[in-house]
Amino acid sequence: DAGVTQSPTHLIKTRGQQVTLRCSPKSGHDTVSWYQQALGQGPQFIFQYYEEEERQRGNFPDRFSGHQFPNYSSELNVNALLLGDSALYLCASSSIYSGGAFSNEQFFGPGTRLTVL
Amino acid sequence: GQSLEQPSEVTAVEGAIVQINCTYQTSGFYGLSWYQQHDGGAPTFLSYNGLDGLEETGRFSSFLSRSDSYGYLLLQELQMKDSASYFCAVRGDAGAGSYQLTFGKGTKLSVIP
């Protein structure tokens, strides 16, 4: 049973560029959350997708957007990249059948390390 | 909003017991969780406390006191592989954002021989 997968593993961009990160949830999971983790910090919630809609958003600007596809996979898009966007971007999935949106158990992918120069 | 406080670093000897505390402030409360993250790895779920008391899973236990807005993670029979960062995380109520999982800044545990 494949866990959460993310691509790419590493990415280097320059300021002002745009980036798309991809996530495939754990088999059977319908909810995808995205997090940003700066070095030495805890993950910070960006947004959560369920039934192809953004259900909740954290304190991130509109430059951060996302999408969920019918197969539950998801994309995170970041426009007009800033140096401060350099971080590890984590995708986490969960399932309504294991507590749904209210389950605190989320399965994380290995992340995408984004470096903005 | 929600905020969590936990120690930044803890060092303990192999075979010993260590406790990592977490205090939180949230406008609502829907459970306290703990995650482990090894350097370069993904966070992995360790435990969840929705009600007061102790939950035990093998060498790891987690405790919650909702009246004190306090919890802790207890690691027994420490092994070198337990060296990692440990995060507490809370989810608020529907009014405050029940879908958002808020993490603490993490406690880096170093296990020494």
PDB file of all heavy atoms in Angstrom, chain A residues 57-81:
ATOM      1  N   ARG A  57      -8.383  27.529   4.956  1.00  0.00           N
ATOM      2  CA  ARG A  57      -7.113  28.132   4.583  1.00  0.00           C
ATOM      3  C   ARG A  57      -6.436  28.698   5.815  1.00  0.00           C
ATOM      4  O   ARG A  57      -7.093  29.279   6.677  1.00  0.00           O
ATOM      5  CB  ARG A  57      -7.359  29.250   3.571  1.00  0.00           C
ATOM      6  CG  ARG A  57      -6.112  29.866   3.002  1.00  0.00           C
ATOM      7  CD  ARG A  57      -6.469  30.952   1.988  1.00  0.00           C
ATOM      8  NE  ARG A  57      -5.272  31.393   1.271  1.00  0.00           N
ATOM      9  CZ  ARG A  57      -4.838  30.835   0.157  1.00  0.00           C
ATOM     10  NH1 ARG A  57      -5.519  29.857  -0.402  1.00  0.00           N
ATOM     11  NH2 ARG A  57      -3.738  31.270  -0.427  1.00  0.00           N
ATOM     12  N   GLY A  58      -5.126  28.524   5.895  1.00  0.00           N
ATOM     13  CA  GLY A  58      -4.358  29.127   6.974  1.00  0.00           C
ATOM     14  C   GLY A  58      -3.977  30.547   6.612  1.00  0.00           C
ATOM     15  O   GLY A  58      -4.489  31.138   5.659  1.00  0.00           O
ATOM     16  N   ASN A  59      -3.042  31.102   7.359  1.00  0.00           N
ATOM     17  CA  ASN A  59      -2.640  32.485   7.195  1.00  0.00           C
ATOM     18  C   ASN A  59      -1.564  32.619   6.112  1.00  0.00           C
ATOM     19  O   ASN A  59      -0.418  32.968   6.402  1.00  0.00           O
ATOM     20  CB  ASN A  59      -2.146  33.028   8.535  1.00  0.00           C
ATOM     21  CG  ASN A  59      -1.917  34.526   8.488  1.00  0.00           C
ATOM     22  OD1 ASN A  59      -2.534  35.221   7.695  1.00  0.00           O
ATOM     23  ND2 ASN A  59      -1.027  35.011   9.330  1.00  0.00           N
ATOM     24  N   PHE A  60      -1.948  32.340   4.888  1.00  0.00           N
ATOM     25  CA  PHE A  60      -1.027  32.450   3.760  1.00  0.00           C
ATOM     26  C   PHE A  60      -1.660  33.339   2.695  1.00  0.00           C
ATOM     27  O   PHE A  60      -2.870  33.335   2.510  1.00  0.00           O
ATOM     28  CB  PHE A  60      -0.723  31.061   3.179  1.00  0.00           C
ATOM     29  CG  PHE A  60       0.344  30.322   3.946  1.00  0.00           C
ATOM     30  CD1 PHE A  60       0.039  29.675   5.126  1.00  0.00           C
ATOM     31  CD2 PHE A  60       1.644  30.305   3.489  1.00  0.00           C
ATOM     32  CE1 PHE A  60       1.019  29.019   5.856  1.00  0.00           C
ATOM     33  CE2 PHE A  60       2.642  29.645   4.194  1.00  0.00           C
ATOM     34  CZ  PHE A  60       2.323  28.996   5.386  1.00  0.00           C
ATOM     35  N   PRO A  61      -0.813  34.110   1.972  1.00  0.00           N
ATOM     36  CA  PRO A  61      -1.364  35.028   0.959  1.00  0.00           C
ATOM     37  C   PRO A  61      -1.946  34.272  -0.234  1.00  0.00           C
ATOM     38  O   PRO A  61      -1.717  33.070  -0.411  1.00  0.00           O
ATOM     39  CB  PRO A  61      -0.134  35.855   0.551  1.00  0.00           C
ATOM     40  CG  PRO A  61       1.039  34.978   0.848  1.00  0.00           C
ATOM     41  CD  PRO A  61       0.675  34.204   2.074  1.00  0.00           C
ATOM     42  N   ASP A  62      -2.645  35.055  -1.059  1.00  0.00           N
ATOM     43  CA  ASP A  62      -3.306  34.473  -2.230  1.00  0.00           C
ATOM     44  C   ASP A  62      -2.321  33.941  -3.262  1.00  0.00           C
ATOM     45  O   ASP A  62      -2.734  33.242  -4.208  1.00  0.00           O
ATOM     46  CB  ASP A  62      -4.201  35.524  -2.891  1.00  0.00           C
ATOM     47  CG  ASP A  62      -5.387  35.875  -2.016  1.00  0.00           C
ATOM     48  OD1 ASP A  62      -5.669  35.088  -1.082  1.00  0.00           O
ATOM     49  OD2 ASP A  62      -6.020  36.914  -2.250  1.00  0.00           O
ATOM     50  N   ARG A  63      -1.040  34.265  -3.099  1.00  0.00           N
ATOM     51  CA  ARG A  63      -0.035  33.697  -4.010  1.00  0.00           C
ATOM     52  C   ARG A  63      -0.004  32.170  -3.904  1.00  0.00           C
ATOM     53  O   ARG A  63       0.479  31.484  -4.804  1.00  0.00           O
ATOM     54  CB  ARG A  63       1.367  34.242  -3.676  1.00  0.00           C
ATOM     55  CG  ARG A  63       1.536  35.708  -3.802  1.00  0.00           C
ATOM     56  CD  ARG A  63       2.991  36.115  -3.592  1.00  0.00           C
ATOM     57  NE  ARG A  63       3.505  35.803  -2.267  1.00  0.00           N
ATOM     58  CZ  ARG A  63       4.393  34.841  -2.014  1.00  0.00           C
ATOM     59  NH1 ARG A  63       4.858  34.072  -2.971  1.00  0.00           N
ATOM     60  NH2 ARG A  63       4.816  34.647  -0.767  1.00  0.00           N
ATOM     61  N   PHE A  64      -0.491  31.680  -2.793  1.00  0.00           N
ATOM     62  CA  PHE A  64      -0.560  30.234  -2.577  1.00  0.00           C
ATOM     63  C   PHE A  64      -1.962  29.766  -2.981  1.00  0.00           C
ATOM     64  O   PHE A  64      -2.967  30.229  -2.428  1.00  0.00           O
ATOM     65  CB  PHE A  64      -0.297  29.882  -1.115  1.00  0.00           C
ATOM     66  CG  PHE A  64       1.124  30.102  -0.679  1.00  0.00           C
ATOM     67  CD1 PHE A  64       1.600  31.381  -0.418  1.00  0.00           C
ATOM     68  CD2 PHE A  64       1.991  29.037  -0.525  1.00  0.00           C
ATOM     69  CE1 PHE A  64       2.918  31.588  -0.021  1.00  0.00           C
ATOM     70  CE2 PHE A  64       3.300  29.229  -0.119  1.00  0.00           C
ATOM     71  CZ  PHE A  64       3.766  30.514   0.127  1.00  0.00           C
ATOM     72  N   SER A  65      -2.018  28.869  -3.920  1.00  0.00           N
ATOM     73  CA  SER A  65      -3.304  28.335  -4.349  1.00  0.00           C
ATOM     74  C   SER A  65      -3.155  26.833  -4.554  1.00  0.00           C
ATOM     75  O   SER A  65      -2.047  26.304  -4.624  1.00  0.00           O
ATOM     76  CB  SER A  65      -3.777  29.000  -5.636  1.00  0.00           C
ATOM     77  OG  SER A  65      -2.871  28.724  -6.693  1.00  0.00           O
ATOM     78  N   GLY A  66      -4.298  26.179  -4.667  1.00  0.00           N
ATOM     79  CA  GLY A  66      -4.225  24.731  -4.808  1.00  0.00           C
ATOM     80  C   GLY A  66      -5.359  24.175  -5.624  1.00  0.00           C
ATOM     81  O   GLY A  66      -6.240  24.906  -6.105  1.00  0.00           O
ATOM     82  N   HIS A  67      -5.318  22.881  -5.748  1.00  0.00           N
ATOM     83  CA  HIS A  67      -6.354  22.192  -6.510  1.00  0.00           C
ATOM     84  C   HIS A  67      -6.379  20.744  -6.047  1.00  0.00           C
ATOM     85  O   HIS A  67      -5.347  20.180  -5.685  1.00  0.00           O
ATOM     86  CB  HIS A  67      -6.030  22.259  -8.012  1.00  0.00           C
ATOM     87  CG  HIS A  67      -7.128  21.750  -8.879  1.00  0.00           C
ATOM     88  ND1 HIS A  67      -8.264  22.470  -9.143  1.00  0.00           N
ATOM     89  CD2 HIS A  67      -7.255  20.567  -9.529  1.00  0.00           C
ATOM     90  CE1 HIS A  67      -9.055  21.757  -9.923  1.00  0.00           C
ATOM     91  NE2 HIS A  67      -8.468  20.606 -10.171  1.00  0.00           N
ATOM     92  N   GLN A  68      -7.574  20.176  -6.069  1.00  0.00           N
ATOM     93  CA  GLN A  68      -7.706  18.738  -5.826  1.00  0.00           C
ATOM     94  C   GLN A  68      -8.440  18.120  -6.990  1.00  0.00           C
ATOM     95  O   GLN A  68      -9.453  18.662  -7.449  1.00  0.00           O
ATOM     96  CB  GLN A  68      -8.439  18.430  -4.522  1.00  0.00           C
ATOM     97  CG  GLN A  68      -8.435  16.932  -4.188  1.00  0.00           C
ATOM     98  CD  GLN A  68      -9.134  16.604  -2.874  1.00  0.00           C
ATOM     99  OE1 GLN A  68     -10.096  17.251  -2.501  1.00  0.00           O
ATOM    100  NE2 GLN A  68      -8.629  15.578  -2.178  1.00  0.00           N
ATOM    101  N   PHE A  69      -7.944  17.004  -7.448  1.00  0.00           N
ATOM    102  CA  PHE A  69      -8.506  16.336  -8.613  1.00  0.00           C
ATOM    103  C   PHE A  69      -9.490  15.231  -8.178  1.00  0.00           C
ATOM    104  O   PHE A  69      -9.503  14.832  -7.013  1.00  0.00           O
ATOM    105  CB  PHE A  69      -7.364  15.758  -9.447  1.00  0.00           C
ATOM    106  CG  PHE A  69      -6.430  16.809  -9.959  1.00  0.00           C
ATOM    107  CD1 PHE A  69      -5.275  17.135  -9.263  1.00  0.00           C
ATOM    108  CD2 PHE A  69      -6.711  17.510 -11.125  1.00  0.00           C
ATOM    109  CE1 PHE A  69      -4.417  18.117  -9.704  1.00  0.00           C
ATOM    110  CE2 PHE A  69      -5.866  18.496 -11.584  1.00  0.00           C
ATOM    111  CZ  PHE A  69      -4.715  18.808 -10.873  1.00  0.00           C
ATOM    112  N   PRO A  70     -10.315  14.750  -9.128  1.00  0.00           N
ATOM    113  CA  PRO A  70     -11.287  13.702  -8.767  1.00  0.00           C
ATOM    114  C   PRO A  70     -10.656  12.462  -8.149  1.00  0.00           C
ATOM    115  O   PRO A  70     -11.318  11.731  -7.415  1.00  0.00           O
ATOM    116  CB  PRO A  70     -11.967  13.392 -10.102  1.00  0.00           C
ATOM    117  CG  PRO A  70     -11.833  14.652 -10.885  1.00  0.00           C
ATOM    118  CD  PRO A  70     -10.493  15.222 -10.505  1.00  0.00           C
ATOM    119  N   ASN A  71      -9.391  12.177  -8.445  1.00  0.00           N
ATOM    120  CA  ASN A  71      -8.746  11.000  -7.854  1.00  0.00           C
ATOM    121  C   ASN A  71      -8.111  11.337  -6.499  1.00  0.00           C
ATOM    122  O   ASN A  71      -7.354  10.537  -5.956  1.00  0.00           O
ATOM    123  CB  ASN A  71      -7.684  10.429  -8.803  1.00  0.00           C
ATOM    124  CG  ASN A  71      -6.511  11.367  -9.014  1.00  0.00           C
ATOM    125  OD1 ASN A  71      -6.520  12.517  -8.558  1.00  0.00           O
ATOM    126  ND2 ASN A  71      -5.493  10.900  -9.703  1.00  0.00           N
ATOM    127  N   TYR A  72      -8.431  12.494  -5.956  1.00  0.00           N
ATOM    128  CA  TYR A  72      -7.999  13.001  -4.657  1.00  0.00           C
ATOM    129  C   TYR A  72      -6.571  13.551  -4.633  1.00  0.00           C
ATOM    130  O   TYR A  72      -6.168  14.109  -3.617  1.00  0.00           O
ATOM    131  CB  TYR A  72      -8.151  11.954  -3.546  1.00  0.00           C
ATOM    132  CG  TYR A  72      -9.532  11.358  -3.469  1.00  0.00           C
ATOM    133  CD1 TYR A  72      -9.732   9.985  -3.655  1.00  0.00           C
ATOM    134  CD2 TYR A  72     -10.637  12.163  -3.236  1.00  0.00           C
ATOM    135  CE1 TYR A  72     -10.996   9.449  -3.605  1.00  0.00           C
ATOM    136  CE2 TYR A  72     -11.900  11.627  -3.179  1.00  0.00           C
ATOM    137  CZ  TYR A  72     -12.085  10.258  -3.365  1.00  0.00           C
ATOM    138  OH  TYR A  72     -13.353   9.717  -3.315  1.00  0.00           O
ATOM    139  N   SER A  73      -5.811  13.384  -5.722  1.00  0.00           N
ATOM    140  CA  SER A  73      -4.484  13.982  -5.745  1.00  0.00           C
ATOM    141  C   SER A  73      -4.612  15.499  -5.725  1.00  0.00           C
ATOM    142  O   SER A  73      -5.702  16.049  -5.970  1.00  0.00           O
ATOM    143  CB  SER A  73      -3.697  13.521  -6.963  1.00  0.00           C
ATOM    144  OG  SER A  73      -4.290  14.021  -8.149  1.00  0.00           O
ATOM    145  N   SER A  74      -3.520  16.161  -5.410  1.00  0.00           N
ATOM    146  CA  SER A  74      -3.605  17.606  -5.212  1.00  0.00           C
ATOM    147  C   SER A  74      -2.359  18.304  -5.720  1.00  0.00           C
ATOM    148  O   SER A  74      -1.291  17.703  -5.848  1.00  0.00           O
ATOM    149  CB  SER A  74      -3.798  17.896  -3.719  1.00  0.00           C
ATOM    150  OG  SER A  74      -3.822  19.281  -3.448  1.00  0.00           O
ATOM    151  N   GLU A  75      -2.511  19.568  -6.032  1.00  0.00           N
ATOM    152  CA  GLU A  75      -1.400  20.431  -6.413  1.00  0.00           C
ATOM    153  C   GLU A  75      -1.377  21.661  -5.533  1.00  0.00           C
ATOM    154  O   GLU A  75      -2.432  22.163  -5.111  1.00  0.00           O
ATOM    155  CB  GLU A  75      -1.543  20.885  -7.877  1.00  0.00           C
ATOM    156  CG  GLU A  75      -1.283  19.817  -8.898  1.00  0.00           C
ATOM    157  CD  GLU A  75      -1.371  20.358 -10.325  1.00  0.00           C
ATOM    158  OE1 GLU A  75      -1.824  21.510 -10.500  1.00  0.00           O
ATOM    159  OE2 GLU A  75      -0.984  19.626 -11.247  1.00  0.00           O
ATOM    160  N   LEU A  76      -0.172  22.126  -5.258  1.00  0.00           N
ATOM    161  CA  LEU A  76       0.033  23.410  -4.581  1.00  0.00           C
ATOM    162  C   LEU A  76       0.774  24.299  -5.564  1.00  0.00           C
ATOM    163  O   LEU A  76       1.813  23.899  -6.107  1.00  0.00           O
ATOM    164  CB  LEU A  76       0.857  23.208  -3.307  1.00  0.00           C
ATOM    165  CG  LEU A  76       1.479  24.462  -2.682  1.00  0.00           C
ATOM    166  CD1 LEU A  76       0.398  25.408  -2.166  1.00  0.00           C
ATOM    167  CD2 LEU A  76       2.425  24.089  -1.530  1.00  0.00           C
ATOM    168  N   ASN A  77       0.234  25.474  -5.814  1.00  0.00           N
ATOM    169  CA  ASN A  77       0.861  26.444  -6.687  1.00  0.00           C
ATOM    170  C   ASN A  77       1.280  27.676  -5.878  1.00  0.00           C
ATOM    171  O   ASN A  77       0.512  28.153  -5.041  1.00  0.00           O
ATOM    172  CB  ASN A  77      -0.110  26.884  -7.783  1.00  0.00           C
ATOM    173  CG  ASN A  77      -0.589  25.730  -8.632  1.00  0.00           C
ATOM    174  OD1 ASN A  77       0.170  25.148  -9.378  1.00  0.00           O
ATOM    175  ND2 ASN A  77      -1.851  25.369  -8.486  1.00  0.00           N
ATOM    176  N   VAL A  78       2.485  28.138  -6.160  1.00  0.00           N
ATOM    177  CA  VAL A  78       2.943  29.366  -5.518  1.00  0.00           C
ATOM    178  C   VAL A  78       3.418  30.302  -6.613  1.00  0.00           C
ATOM    179  O   VAL A  78       4.287  29.940  -7.413  1.00  0.00           O
ATOM    180  CB  VAL A  78       4.073  29.120  -4.512  1.00  0.00           C
ATOM    181  CG1 VAL A  78       4.398  30.415  -3.769  1.00  0.00           C
ATOM    182  CG2 VAL A  78       3.709  28.015  -3.532  1.00  0.00           C
ATOM    183  N   ASN A  79       2.809  31.482  -6.678  1.00  0.00           N
ATOM    184  CA  ASN A  79       3.174  32.486  -7.677  1.00  0.00           C
ATOM    185  C   ASN A  79       4.104  33.539  -7.081  1.00  0.00           C
ATOM    186  O   ASN A  79       4.164  33.707  -5.857  1.00  0.00           O
ATOM    187  CB  ASN A  79       1.912  33.185  -8.192  1.00  0.00           C
ATOM    188  CG  ASN A  79       1.019  32.246  -8.956  1.00  0.00           C
ATOM    189  OD1 ASN A  79       1.489  31.380  -9.685  1.00  0.00           O
ATOM    190  ND2 ASN A  79      -0.287  32.396  -8.768  1.00  0.00           N
ATOM    191  N   ALA A  80       4.808  34.239  -7.975  1.00  0.00           N
ATOM    192  CA  ALA A  80       5.634  35.370  -7.558  1.00  0.00           C
ATOM    193  C   ALA A  80       6.496  35.005  -6.350  1.00  0.00           C
ATOM    194  O   ALA A  80       6.425  35.641  -5.293  1.00  0.00           O
ATOM    195  CB  ALA A  80       4.749  36.576  -7.240  1.00  0.00           C
ATOM    196  N   LEU A  81       7.311  33.987  -6.524  1.00  0.00           N
ATOM    197  CA  LEU A  81       8.098  33.444  -5.419  1.00  0.00           C
ATOM    198  C   LEU A  81       8.982  34.502  -4.758  1.00  0.00           C
ATOM    199  O   LEU A  81       9.584  35.362  -5.427  1.00  0.00           O
ATOM    200  CB  LEU A  81       8.974  32.299  -5.922  1.00  0.00           C
ATOM    201  CG  LEU A  81       8.251  30.971  -6.172  1.00  0.00           C
ATOM    202  CD1 LEU A  81       9.144  30.018  -6.946  1.00  0.00           C
ATOM    203  CD2 LEU A  81       7.805  30.355  -4.859  1.00  0.00           C
TER     204      LEU A  81
END
